[in-house]
């Protein structure tokens, strides 16, 4: 490792300078590297996990309410559950199609 002063003396600006120049050109880069930022796949998976967990939690909560509500409320809850299940299927299918 060279001391920072020798980096300045040789004109090396480090990866931040490269990232800053790339950002000025409009390139998407990771701020710590001069390589293009390549983590969207991970964030897409994290988004899928979040969406699935959220929709499943909503379905579970609605299902728990079914035993304690009137017939009219059951029909309404089942309609909402069906919509949420459809949204879950759509979310999974969209993720699958991006692969």
């Amino acid at each position: 490792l060279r001391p920072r002063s020798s980096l300045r003396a040789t004109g090396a600006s480090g990866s931040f300078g490269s990232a800053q120049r790339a950002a000025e050109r409009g390139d998407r880069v990771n701020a710590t590297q001069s390589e293009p930022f390549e983590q969207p796949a991970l964030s897409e998976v994290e988004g899928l996990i979040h969406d699935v967990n959220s929709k499943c939690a909503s379905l579970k909560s609605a299902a728990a309410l079914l035993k304690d509500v009137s017939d009219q409320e059951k029909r309404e809850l089942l309609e909402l559950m069906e919509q949420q299940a459809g949204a879950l299927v759509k979310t999974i299918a969209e993720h699958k199609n991006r692969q």
Side-chain angles (χ1 to χ4, degrees):
L1 291 173
R2 295 186 300 187
R4 290 182 186 194
S5 60
S6 67
L7 288 175
R8 274 188 235 114
T10 60
S13 61
S15 61
F16 179 76
S18 300
Q20 185 176 14
R21 284 190 298 280
E24 289 167 359
R25 290 191 314 264
D27 297 341
R28 269 185 75 184
V29 296
N30 185 331
T32 61
Q33 300 176 357
S34 59
E35 299 294 319
F37 183 73
E38 294 189 23
Q39 282 193 329
L42 182 59
S43 63
E44 286 179 21
V45 170
E46 289 173 345
L48 175 66
I49 291 168
H50 171 78
D51 289 349
V52 168
N53 286 338
S54 175
K55 287 172 177 54
C56 287
S58 295
L59 285 167
K60 184 177 177 181
S61 296
L65 293 173
L66 287 173
K67 64 181 179 201
D68 297 325
V69 297
S70 70
D71 289 343
Q72 175 63 31
E73 291 171 318
K74 281 181 187 176
R75 284 190 291 278
E76 292 171 4
L77 271 175
L78 289 169
E79 179 67 29
L80 291 172
M81 290 172 66
E82 188 176 39
Q83 290 172 7
Q84 192 71 315
L88 178 60
V89 169
K90 182 180 176 186
T91 297
I92 293 169
E94 287 172 352
H95 180 76
K96 178 183 165 188
N97 292 333
R98 286 192 296 260
Q99 299 303 307

